[in-house]
Amino acid sequence: MSRRWWVLGGIAVVAVLALVVGPWVYGTWIAEDDAPAASVSTSGAEPATGEVNGQWVVYAGLPPNETAAGYTVHEILNGASVTVVGSTGEVSGSATVEAEKLTAAEITVQVASIATDDSRRDGQFDGRVMSAAEFPTATFVLDGPVDLSGLPVDGTSGTVTATGTLTIKGVARPVTADVEVLRSGDALVASGSIPVTWTDFGVQPPSLGFVTVDGSGTVDFLVSLRRA
């Protein structure tokens, strides 16, 4: 009998340790932050050629400035504090520059293609979080002109501020973003992060016991553009 109780007691201790120590082990040794969202790189950049004025279209880009868009958010997963970055290359758009001012721009992202390192998370994101079947795209539309005349032409980047309308899950709201812009050869590259509160766009961050997602994060983008 004493041996039986010793075995049962040992099992109980192991179970308690698993519950208490397991999340710590996961957070300390297993869980890792995702790589940061893509941003403009000047590696291999060339001095600008030609003028900046004209019609531009978003294209896939070339390493290290490949077009991508998505989100960054902090979550607690199985007791571990992690930063999650979701992204996709399925981004389209266009821009118009007149008299060295960006006068029009629109970026469209295919929501269902945004992916992280966890397919289960992505399934929740596409389904009940973002309702991607009903709202397949997210968009940013420029609302006012942006002066590009002060951008460097020597293969380094500069920063401008853009205001526009961000639409997520069918909800449109005004936003402002600091945008890093690179003129390299006859190409433009722009990246930025837009701070958002998810519920402002009708998005309810998951809280499922094993995972709790912060109520705010960023919408991130890097777009490479070539002449239309």
Side-chain angles (χ1 to χ4, degrees):
M1 178 67 72
S2 60
R3 174 179 170 79
R4 179 172 178 270
W5 281 111
W6 181 86
V7 171
L8 291 175
I11 293 173
V13 169
V14 170
V16 170
L17 286 174
L19 289 172
V20 175
V21 180
W24 176 84
V25 170
Y26 181 87
T28 303
W29 302 106
I30 300 176
E32 295 182 354
D33 290 339
D34 287 349
S39 60
V40 167
S41 173
T42 58
S43 176
E46 304 172 350
T49 58
E51 61 179 12
V52 71
N53 297 325
Q55 300 293 323
W56 299 82
V57 293
V58 174
Y59 79 113
L62 299 171
N65 290 316
E66 296 171 288
T67 291
Y71 68 91
T72 298
V73 71
H74 172 263
E75 69 179 23
I76 303 297
L77 176 63
N78 293 329
S81 175
V82 294
T83 299
V84 175
V85 177
S87 66
T88 178
E90 294 192 23
V91 183
S92 59
S94 61
T96 302
V97 182
E98 300 172 327
E100 296 190 302
K101 288 183 173 61
L102 180 65
T103 58
E106 182 170 354
I107 299 171
T108 300
V109 181
Q110 300 300 317
V111 172
S113 66
I114 297 173
T116 67
D117 60 354
D118 190 322
S119 60
R120 292 170 300 177
R121 179 194 292 119
D122 298 339
Q124 288 288 324
F125 177 84
D126 293 347
R128 72 181 197 85
V129 175
M130 294 298 293
S131 303
E134 183 179 0
F135 305 103
T137 63
T139 61
F140 172 84
V141 178
L142 186 73
D143 286 346
V146 179
D147 187 1
L148 303 182
S149 62
L151 290 177
V153 295
D154 61 354
T156 60
S157 63
T159 301
V160 298
T161 300
T163 58
T165 299
L166 179 66
T167 302
I168 299 175
K169 208 174 180 180
V171 178
R173 296 185 65 89
V175 295
T176 299
D178 291 330
V179 183
E180 185 178 3
V181 183
L182 169 68
R183 294 185 62 189
S184 177
D186 197 27
L188 286 175
V189 184
S191 71
S193 293
I194 304 171
V196 296
T197 298
W198 303 118
T199 54
D200 287 347
F201 293 90
V203 176
Q204 296 298 326
S207 182
L208 304 175
F210 66 92
V211 60
T212 301
V213 178
D214 280 8
S216 59
T218 60
V219 171
D220 315 309
F221 62 90
L222 183 154
V223 288
S224 285
L225 301 105
R226 60 187 176 192
R227 294 193 180 276

